[in-house]
Amino acid sequence: MYVRSFQLSDYAEVTQLMENSLSEQCFHDSMEAFARQLSWDSSLVMIAESEGTIVGVVIGTIDNNDGYYYRLAVDPFHRRKGVGKAMIQALQERFVERKVNRILVPVDAHNEPVLPVFESLGFDMNSFTKAFKKLSIVAGT
């Protein structure tokens, strides 16, 4: 398994992965945000690939010089194998390269189940925020 930047040719496979991995409401919310993030800065979308198949995606964004992990999705058959952690760390490196002030994880009903993954990587209560506008309305930076 390796993590790389999103490529336009990944769009259909990532869409299918998100539809299979997220709740219906989360999928619909995330697709709008995903499209907007791709138009602003696709380098903040990271893909995990295993044996030629996309098994995970993490969508990040930067707003007011803060980096945010917007959505993390891992194929159900590849969970608990380090896929999410690898993508989180790869996106964190991107945020560090961009010299963001801080890196935050927005907490909503869709992200709550993955918070333990972030905590296992050293994120703490100061890293989680409920004061986050939907990515679909945040101005791209």
Side-chain angles (χ1 to χ4, degrees):
M1 190 254 328
Y2 73 98
V3 178
R4 62 174 174 79
S5 296
F6 174 87
Q7 299 168 0
L8 189 54
S9 59
D10 298 328
Y11 187 82
E13 195 171 351
V14 168
T15 299
Q16 187 65 50
L17 167 80
M18 290 187 359
E19 187 170 24
N20 294 339
S21 303
L22 303 172
S23 70
E24 186 176 340
Q25 183 61 48
C26 183
F27 170 72
H28 290 292
D29 292 349
S30 298
M31 286 308 297
E32 180 182 345
F34 176 52
R36 293 234 174 151
Q37 186 57 40
L38 291 179
S39 73
W40 294 331
D41 187 350
S42 64
S43 70
L44 295 176
V45 178
M46 306 298 292
I47 301 299
E49 190 172 26
S50 178
E51 299 178 12
T53 301
I54 294 174
V55 297
V57 60
V58 64
I59 302 169
T61 193
I62 297 174
D63 182 37
N64 293 323
N65 210 36
D66 290 334
Y68 291 90
Y69 289 93
Y70 175 71
R71 188 70 68 225
L72 174 69
V74 176
D75 179 271
F77 296 107
H78 289 85
R79 292 180 183 163
R80 302 198 182 285
K81 297 180 181 178
V83 175
K85 287 181 180 181
M87 291 187 303
I88 290 167
Q89 290 170 324
L91 185 54
Q92 184 173 16
E93 291 173 15
R94 288 276 160 87
F95 287 145
V96 170
E97 289 171 4
R98 300 281 184 91
K99 299 181 181 0
V100 299
N101 290 329
R102 54 192 175 151
I103 301 171
L104 300 167
V105 180
V107 178
D108 63 14
H110 305 304
N111 280 347
E112 284 182 8
V114 298
L115 294 183
V117 178
F118 286 95
E119 290 171 333
S120 74
L121 290 168
F123 289 81
D124 60 21
M125 291 309 294
N126 294 325
S127 303
F128 303 127
T129 180
K130 290 188 183 219
F132 183 73
K133 300 175 218 154
K134 290 175 93 175
L135 181 59
S136 59
I137 59 172
V138 174
T141 54

